[in-house]
Amino acid sequence: NMANDRSGSSSSSSSSDEDSDHDEPVEVADENDEDQEDKMEVEGEIDQEEEELVEKASQKRASGPPTLSKSWAVKTQHVPTFTGGTITHCYTSGLLEEGSSDQMTEEPDHRHAFLILPVGGDLALVDAQRGITLGTVRGLASTAAGTQEDDDDDELDMEAITAYALSYNDQMLMTCSHNNMVRQYKVEKVPKGGIISADMVSNSIVSLTKSWGKSGHALPVTLMQFHLSNVFLATGSVDGTARIWDVRGGYVSHVFRPYESIDGGGSGRLSVTALQWMPDVQNLVVAVGRDDGSIAIHDLRQDQQVTLLHEHVSAVVSMQWPLHFEQVKLFVTSGRDSVVNLWRIEDRASKKTSSQKKTKTRNSNKHDKKGGYTRIHTLPVYESVEGMVVLPPKSTNHNELTIATAGGKGRVRLWSCIDTTENTPKLELMKEQPLGESFGEARGGYMRMIYRGPHKLMEDMTDVKEQLIVADAENNVRFLSMKDSLSTTRTIVGHNDDILDLKIIPSNEVDDEHDSTLPERIAVATNSAQVRIFDLATFSSHVLDRHSKTVLCVDVSPCGRFLATCGKDKEIRLWHVESLQCVAVAVGHAEAVGSVALSRQLGRYNVQGKAAINGGGSFAVSASVDRTLKRWNLPGSQTFEEAASNEEELSLKSLVSARAHEKDINVVSIAPNDSFVATGSQDKTIKIWNSSDLTLKATLAGHRRGVWDCQFSPFDRVLASASGDKTIKLWSLSDFSCVRTFQGHLSSVLRVRFLNYGMQLASSGADGLLKVYTIRTNECETTLDAHNSRAWALDLSSDGKTMVSGGADSRILVWEDTTKQEEEVENAKREEELMLDQKLANHLRHKEYFEALEITLELDKPRQALKAFTAIIDSSVEGGKDGIGPLKDLARRWTKERLTRVLQYCREWNTRSRNCHVALLVVRSIVSTIPVHELAAMDSVPEIMAGIMSYAERHFDRLDRLHESSYLIDFVLGSMGSFGSDKSNEIEDFATWEASSKLVLPPVSVDGRIQVGGKDLVGVAADVRGAHEAEGSDDEVIVVGYSSDEESDSAHESSSNDHDDEES
């Protein structure tokens, strides 16, 4: 209505102008004609673009059916790497051999830089060049201690690492956990060339050497530092004590407890907040800073002499002697009291007083109040100093001193003193970080800072760039260049918090020859007011910081030049991606803006002028918690380019608005041809709107819970929706009916995307699972389980070969479609199996049984292996041998894996009686060749042998029964006698044979029954048998065919008579 009113007023004003002046109407008519011509040209370009896209899609489809995606693998990932604490930079390429500290043993190109960062009670090893986490240290310590995870997350993790230190030769890592266990690790060499893959495990870089036991501190250790000689290690605890360890023996040599202030100063807070060794191998001097602002300087060679400094009124966080302290004789300290103190070191002998020569009291050692150290300058920096480093001199002027400070204001500053030989030298501001590059005080400022330059013990490594590495309050690690103006060269995001939304930024250059390319950048909305642009090659990020509250949604234009963001501050902002400048802002919603979408046609972004303002160009659509839908017309890409170059922010106006749903709107999506707009809400419905005037086209109802996402197909007139009812529905845009329903998620489905030319769907859910469905078969092709919590974000590249997901577990995963690779591997394996099958057939045909057996064992074909074993045994027996000799020769050559596989085959073969002879013969050859202790040490061999023995006993019982049955035939033949021979001799021969014959298993009498091989031969009970023996009866004798000779003769006669009657 507002748009109609505005158009009516403009038309009335133009008509009044026409009556007043004759020249004006002509000009207005010309402008209208020009606008109409521009619109026609734009519509023609858009139609031509649509035809080109449709033609491309048809060509791709005509070229052959696309391969359905069935397998995905993680290509690269960004996981939480830093949650606050000490950061350390090191080289783990093994440039220094053990025992050498003055020369390089490999080429400089072979070194590799790493960062050691604390993360959640663990230590992460992060590639300093690519920002990829290569592994962690915690797992080794947990395994060594035999700890188990507790189900109660609130319970304190006693194995969490609270402090660590790296030796100066980058070869030894010391850690201390919350239970005060001190452990020593060895930093290994990386492969030659310094190339480390992202999937390399941490065990190949850091290995546990030994555990030193308890630290001896009463409370957790928070600080550890090595002496320059790598022989001594200092530890500081919350209990206020500092201990000095001899690394060679692993014992404590000195214990330094806090001293009472002579001036009565201090607040009683005695926690150790800073440790620092004097940078000299010969001087064993350590400074201990505490929470009450005191500093105690101890000399290990003269442990009775202690220097106490009490000039700070708050916790001391940084203390350093310059590397050239022998020339400048200075000591620099800083703390949270917002000052930096400069101390001059003088000869202790000149400062001794008579009071210091008294004997020590019971509760305190001999100490100087400020013995040898005089404060000569105090620099107010007006911020809580959290990090301070003394930079090495850049010229031959050793009297120069330069320091860098970082703190609560989130801005790094360099301070310099040209001549430190003056009586009162002063530090003056030399350089500071640009305001646009600084982190800022509102976001928490900086928390840590270290200096990265040439290696600590390698002065000839001049090619290493000097940098300052700072960690901010949001756990981001920034690299600042020392050359220019302390500008940020790159940023490693340590912790993202919840990933609420992400989008892949399309590349401006389109390569039609390659179907699959890894996207270069992604835009990520975390649970903060900043939007991060990640470089997927290095995971370095740039921050877009203009929102005042949490950003909820991001969207990228199809050209990849513009980015739209919205959040809880009720604003929609448009960004120029290349310059990272905000070029436009839209304000108009009454509540938080939950979703925003940009038009999808490339040609619309080239429309300029009035045609763009009147709706002929690109546009954005936003949906808010106030349940309204708004359309914002964009002025065009050229206007945005000019705004980015001038650092201006344009104001966008909404000409069309509509009340869309009865509950919160979760998502808004625009069709590929910009004709429709779809919205999904918590009221369980999806609504289709005309994009030009936001009039309602249709309402799609069918979900039982709120709708979290909806997307248009890029090729077909269908819409996919994801809901909290754990289902995905596919809707037809022709009749607005539901045509498919996909199930499988165990919780709410949060995101859905089309892939493979609209033939498949990819989804992510609150269960942390990612699923890929095939629309035609309505089946789930694969399930990807990589997130530990809700997978809020999901996006696909334009070619559909790369997928990026993010979730509440702060992880960003980049997935690669590996379907073709796995199919190629399967095809290669199948071809290899066919070749081996043909070789096997050839060997069997030529009776080359040994070669055939090796192929069958390699292909894991038990049936063919049985044939080969049978053939080998038969051929050996035919040659006059026992058949077991060749099997023993084979058993001697087999590996442990091969022996285990053969025994598994024998266990299966032994279950059938017709194969048991071959199986037991093979088992005999193995157990008689391989020692028993070796077989018992093999995995699963004892279980396999137990299975073989159970069936072997059954087979032996069967043989016993068969042997028993053979006696019956012998008895019958012996009783019948032999025609034409002497019966006495025959009986004697039979008696001899019977006496020499033995059963396989001896008869056993069990419960009065005679058993042979586990079966009863004589079924007469003992009492019955005894009665028969008492009567002298022969009824227990089993007679087959006749009972006596007379009965036999009578039976023979009767049978012959019957035969004669039959013949007659």
Side-chain angles (χ1 to χ4, degrees):
N1 294 333
M2 294 174 61
N4 293 333
D5 293 340
R6 290 184 181 180
S7 62
S9 61
S10 62
S11 61
S12 61
S13 62
S14 62
S15 61
S16 62
D17 292 340
E18 184 179 358
D19 295 337
S20 61
D21 196 346
H22 294 286
D23 295 335
E24 286 292 327
V26 176
E27 295 179 1
V28 172
D30 291 340
E31 290 178 1
N32 293 334
D33 293 340
E34 290 176 359
D35 293 341
Q36 290 179 0
E37 291 177 359
D38 292 341
K39 288 183 179 180
M40 293 177 63
E41 290 178 0
V42 170
E43 292 176 357
E45 292 177 359
I46 294 174
D47 293 339
Q48 184 178 0
E49 181 183 353
E50 289 181 0
E51 292 177 359
E52 291 178 357
L53 291 175
V54 172
E55 185 178 356
K56 276 187 179 181
S58 61
Q59 289 177 358
K60 289 183 178 180
R61 287 182 172 179
S63 62
T67 303
L68 293 179
S69 177
K70 297 183 180 181
S71 175
W72 292 78
V74 176
K75 178 70 175 180
T76 182
Q77 61 178 329
H78 182 274
V79 298
T81 57
F82 181 56
T83 55
T86 304
I87 57 178
T88 303
H89 182 271
C90 62
Y91 293 93
T92 57
S93 59
L95 290 173
L96 294 176
E97 297 290 348
E98 292 188 14
S100 65
S101 60
D102 56 351
Q103 62 181 359
M104 295 170 53
T105 59
E106 295 186 11
E107 296 296 330
D109 293 339
H110 292 167
R111 64 178 178 271
H112 210 89
F114 287 86
L115 291 175
I116 301 179
L117 304 175
V119 50
D122 202 345
L123 294 180
L125 304 174
V126 181
D127 190 336
Q129 301 297 328
R130 296 178 293 168
I132 298 175
T133 302
L134 299 181
T136 58
V137 178
R138 170 80 178 280
L140 299 176
S142 299
T143 304
T147 59
Q148 297 180 355
E149 295 183 359
D150 198 302
D151 295 334
D152 188 5
D153 295 336
D154 297 334
E155 187 175 350
L156 186 63
D157 186 3
M158 301 304 295
E159 285 294 330
I161 296 175
T162 59
Y164 75 96
L166 182 69
S167 63
Y168 278 84
N169 58 4
D170 293 343
Q171 294 182 359
M172 186 189 308
L173 178 67
M174 300 296 301
T175 65
C176 186
S177 56
H178 202 283
N179 56 6
N180 283 333
M181 288 294 295
V182 180
R183 295 182 176 90
Q184 178 181 342
Y185 297 87
K186 180 181 179 182
V187 182
E188 305 287 351
K189 296 181 181 180
V190 302
K192 189 175 182 180
I195 301 175
I196 299 180
S197 60
D199 57 352
M200 175 178 286
V201 295
S202 61
N203 298 25
S204 60
I205 303 176
V206 177
S207 59
L208 180 63
T209 303
K210 65 178 179 179
S211 178
W212 286 12
K214 295 287 185 178
S215 64
H217 291 280
L219 293 176
V221 176
T222 56
L223 294 171
M224 303 176 76
Q225 191 178 43
F226 272 96
H227 184 255
L228 192 62
S229 63
N230 298 323
V231 176
F232 296 97
L233 174 71
T235 60
S237 171
V238 181
D239 60 4
T241 62
R243 291 172 176 262
I244 308 300
W245 298 74
D246 191 315
V247 178
R248 297 166 297 185
Y251 58 86
V252 176
S253 60
H254 298 76
V255 178
F256 301 128
R257 294 179 173 84
Y259 293 93
E260 297 180 359
S261 175
I262 294 179
D263 295 337
S267 61
R269 302 185 305 272
L270 302 177
S271 301
V272 177
T273 57
L275 283 175
Q276 184 64 41
W277 289 92
M278 184 176 287
D280 187 10
V281 178
Q282 301 298 327
N283 291 324
L284 301 179
V285 179
V286 60
V288 181
R290 292 184 169 85
D291 199 18
D292 60 350
S294 64
I295 301 173
I297 302 176
H298 304 269
D299 191 344
L300 271 61
R301 301 185 188 277
Q302 301 176 0
D303 56 352
Q304 301 297 325
Q305 299 293 339
V306 181
T307 301
L308 297 180
L309 309 177
H310 290 280
E311 298 297 333
H312 288 281
V313 296
S314 185
V316 179
V317 295
S318 297
M319 306 174 295
Q320 279 195 11
W321 286 274
L323 294 178
H324 56 299
F325 77 96
E326 292 290 346
Q327 289 80 17
V328 297
K329 298 291 185 180
L330 293 176
F331 181 54
V332 187
T333 63
S334 64
R336 296 194 177 101
D337 53 0
S338 304
V339 297
V340 176
N341 287 329
L342 191 63
W343 306 78
R344 189 180 299 280
I345 306 174
E346 299 180 0
D347 188 7
R348 182 182 293 270
S350 63
K351 286 288 182 178
K352 285 185 178 180
T353 61
S354 59
S355 61
Q356 294 173 337
K357 297 180 182 179
K358 297 179 181 179
T359 59
K360 60 181 180 179
T361 63
R362 179 179 180 184
N363 297 326
S364 61
N365 294 333
K366 290 182 179 179
H367 58 270
D368 295 336
K369 181 178 179 181
K370 295 182 182 178
Y373 288 79
T374 304
R375 181 171 57 87
I376 58 177
H377 177 57
T378 297
L379 172 67
V381 294
Y382 303 105
E383 66 173 344
S384 176
V385 180
E386 298 293 341
M388 186 270 296
V389 294
V390 178
L391 303 179
K394 296 182 179 180
S395 61
T396 56
N397 182 14
H398 295 291
N399 295 325
E400 182 181 1
L401 178 67
T402 303
I403 66 172
T405 60
K409 289 188 176 181
R411 199 171 185 182
V412 178
R413 290 180 286 182
L414 299 184
W415 309 84
S416 177
C417 179
I418 299 177
D419 188 5
T420 57
T421 59
E422 299 179 356
N423 293 330
T424 57
K426 294 183 179 181
L427 292 169
E428 297 180 353
L429 181 63
M430 182 180 68
K431 187 188 302 183
E432 61 182 343
Q433 190 179 9
L435 188 61
E437 296 281 345
S438 63
F439 184 72
E441 184 177 5
R443 296 169 59 184
Y446 292 125
M447 307 304 295
R448 291 288 189 277
M449 181 171 62
I450 62 172
Y451 170 74
R452 175 194 178 189
H455 197 275
K456 296 179 277 290
L457 300 178
M458 300 176 186
E459 298 180 355
D460 54 344
M461 290 175 56
T462 57
D463 59 331
V464 178
K465 298 179 180 179
E466 288 186 317
Q467 288 182 325
L468 288 175
I469 304 176
V470 292
D472 56 41
E474 294 181 356
N475 299 327
N476 303 321
V477 180
R478 299 189 176 201
F479 293 78
L480 308 181
S481 175
M482 295 282 293
K483 286 188 176 180
D484 302 326
S485 59
L486 297 177
S487 59
T488 303
T489 58
R490 65 191 192 89
T491 303
I492 296 178
V493 177
H495 193 270
N496 284 312
D497 208 346
D498 292 1
I499 307 296
L500 302 182
D501 196 11
L502 64 82
K503 288 293 186 299
I504 295 176
I505 300 178
S507 177
N508 293 330
E509 298 180 359
V510 180
D511 190 0
D512 295 334
E513 296 180 358
H514 300 85
D515 294 336
S516 178
T517 57
L518 184 66
E520 296 179 356
R521 291 176 297 178
I522 58 173
V524 181
T526 61
N527 194 18
S528 65
Q530 292 80 37
V531 178
R532 292 166 178 169
I533 307 297
F534 278 95
D535 185 353
L536 294 181
T538 62
F539 275 109
S540 177
S541 71
H542 298 279
V543 178
L544 307 180
D545 185 17
R546 293 304 298 272
H547 284 276
S548 58
K549 293 184 179 180
T550 303
V551 177
L552 300 176
C553 180
V554 297
D555 193 25
V556 181
S557 64
C559 59
R561 292 180 292 174
F562 307 107
L563 174 70
T565 61
C566 63
K568 292 184 178 180
D569 56 1
K570 311 175 188 178
E571 294 180 351
I572 300 102
R573 289 187 174 271
L574 202 69
W575 306 81
H576 187 256
V577 175
E578 294 301 327
S579 62
L580 302 178
Q581 293 291 330
C582 180
V583 295
V585 59
V587 180
H589 285 287
E591 297 292 341
V593 184
S595 182
V596 65
L598 295 174
S599 56
R600 310 314 303 166
Q601 289 189 332
L602 289 171
R604 289 184 177 271
Y605 289 87
N606 297 325
V607 180
Q608 304 292 328
K610 291 186 178 180
I613 297 175
N614 293 335
S618 57
F619 61 93
V621 179
S622 61
S624 172
V625 179
D626 59 10
R627 307 170 190 175
T628 61
L629 190 66
K630 293 181 180 292
R631 168 175 167 144
W632 313 82
N633 293 335
L634 305 182
S637 59
Q638 184 177 354
T639 305
F640 287 145
E641 296 282 352
E642 294 175 356
S645 59
N646 298 329
E647 298 184 359
E648 297 179 358
E649 288 186 4
L650 304 178
S651 179
L652 302 179
K653 295 182 179 181
S654 173
L655 302 180
V656 183
S657 180
R659 183 176 176 84
H661 290 270
E662 297 301 324
K663 291 186 178 181
D664 295 353
I665 304 174
N666 293 328
V667 63
V668 59
S669 178
I670 300 177
N673 59 357
D674 292 343
S675 60
F676 292 138
V677 174
T679 57
S681 171
Q682 287 297 113
D683 61 6
K684 311 174 187 179
T685 63
I686 305 107
K687 292 188 177 182
I688 308 298
W689 310 80
N690 291 318
S691 62
S692 58
D693 53 1
L694 295 184
T695 57
L696 183 62
K697 183 72 174 177
T699 300
L700 310 179
H703 285 291
R704 298 191 302 271
R705 296 264 180 107
V707 178
W708 284 106
D709 194 16
C710 59
Q711 290 292 323
F712 289 93
S713 172
F715 296 99
D716 300 315
R717 291 179 58 82
V718 292
L719 175 78
S721 61
S723 170
D725 59 5
K726 311 175 187 178
T727 63
I728 302 170
K729 290 184 179 294
L730 199 66
W731 309 84
S732 173
L733 296 180
S734 301
D735 55 359
F736 302 105
S737 62
C738 179
V739 295
R740 286 281 194 281
T741 299
F742 302 91
Q743 298 179 349
H745 279 279
L746 304 177
S747 187
S748 301
V749 186
L750 303 178
R751 289 290 181 268
V752 63
R753 293 291 185 272
F754 284 91
L755 74 153
N756 277 343
Y757 309 108
M759 297 189 346
Q760 289 184 296
L761 291 173
S763 63
S764 63
D767 50 9
L769 301 178
L770 277 65
K771 291 181 177 291
V772 177
Y773 296 90
T774 299
I775 295 177
R776 182 174 58 86
T777 60
N778 206 15
E779 293 181 355
C780 178
E781 297 292 347
T782 182
T783 299
L784 309 175
D785 186 6
H787 288 283
N788 301 325
S789 187
R790 295 179 179 87
W792 287 110
L794 180 69
D795 198 19
L796 288 163
S797 61
S798 57
D799 57 6
K801 302 300 181 183
T802 304
M803 179 169 58
V804 184
S805 63
D809 56 358
S810 305
R811 303 178 67 188
I812 300 175
L813 304 179
V814 181
W815 302 83
E816 182 185 19
D817 189 357
T818 58
T819 304
K820 288 187 177 180
Q821 291 84 338
E822 291 197 359
E823 287 182 354
E824 292 175 357
V825 171
E826 291 294 331
N827 293 335
K829 187 183 298 183
R830 193 177 299 110
E831 291 178 1
E832 184 179 359
E833 289 180 357
L834 291 176
M835 292 295 295
L836 292 176
D837 288 341
Q838 185 61 42
K839 290 183 179 180
L840 175 61
N842 295 337
H843 289 314
L844 292 176
R845 186 179 301 110
H846 296 290
K847 297 183 179 181
E848 299 171 350
Y849 301 119
F850 291 97
E851 293 80 358
L853 178 62
E854 293 298 326
I855 294 177
T856 57
L857 296 178
E858 182 179 354
L859 295 178
D860 194 12
K861 292 188 174 183
R863 185 177 179 182
Q864 300 293 337
L866 178 61
K867 294 181 179 179
F869 275 119
T870 305
I872 291 174
I873 295 172
D874 293 344
S875 62
S876 177
V877 172
E878 290 176 359
K881 299 180 181 180
D882 56 356
I884 198 174
L887 299 180
K888 289 184 177 181
D889 295 338
L890 290 173
R892 293 188 185 97
R893 299 198 302 265
W894 286 337
T895 61
K896 293 182 179 180
E897 292 78 9
R898 184 63 57 84
L899 288 170
T900 304
R901 178 174 296 182
V902 172
L903 288 175
Q904 290 175 349
Y905 291 169
C906 292
R907 181 180 59 184
E908 300 299 327
W909 298 337
N910 197 38
T911 58
R912 306 188 67 178
S913 59
R914 66 179 181 181
N915 301 330
C916 67
H917 304 286
V918 177
L920 294 178
L921 197 60
V922 174
V923 171
R924 177 186 173 187
S925 65
I926 293 176
V927 298
S928 60
T929 304
I930 307 300
V932 177
H933 65 276
E934 294 185 8
L935 289 174
M938 296 181 188
D939 294 337
S940 69
V941 168
E943 292 80 4
I944 296 174
M945 295 300 299
I948 293 175
M949 289 174 62
S950 61
Y951 277 93
E953 291 179 357
R954 297 183 184 181
H955 295 313
F956 280 120
D957 291 343
R958 181 173 52 82
L959 292 177
D960 288 340
R961 292 193 299 271
L962 182 62
H963 190 221
E964 169 200 342
S965 300
S966 67
Y967 277 94
L968 182 60
I969 300 176
D970 296 337
F971 180 78
V972 171
L973 294 177
S975 300
M976 291 176 62
S978 176
F979 297 99
S981 62
D982 189 2
K983 187 173 181 179
S984 60
N985 294 335
E986 185 177 343
I987 294 175
E988 184 180 354
D989 294 339
F990 174 75
T992 304
W993 174 84
E994 184 179 11
S996 61
S997 300
K998 293 182 180 180
L999 296 176
V1000 177
L1001 294 177
V1004 179
S1005 177
V1006 179
D1007 296 335
R1009 297 174 182 268
I1010 299 176
Q1011 296 184 352
V1012 178
K1015 303 292 284 187
D1016 291 343
L1017 279 182
V1018 181
V1020 183
D1023 53 346
V1024 178
R1025 185 169 62 252
H1028 280 274
E1029 291 174 356
E1031 296 174 357
S1033 175
D1034 294 336
D1035 293 341
E1036 71 275 13
V1037 179
I1038 300 174
V1039 180
V1040 179
Y1042 60 93
S1043 59
S1044 63
D1045 295 340
E1046 295 179 356
E1047 292 177 355
S1048 177
D1049 294 340
S1050 61
H1052 180 69
E1053 291 176 358
S1054 60
S1055 64
S1056 62
N1057 293 334
D1058 293 339
H1059 181 66
D1060 294 339
D1061 294 340
E1062 290 177 0
E1063 289 181 350
S1064 62

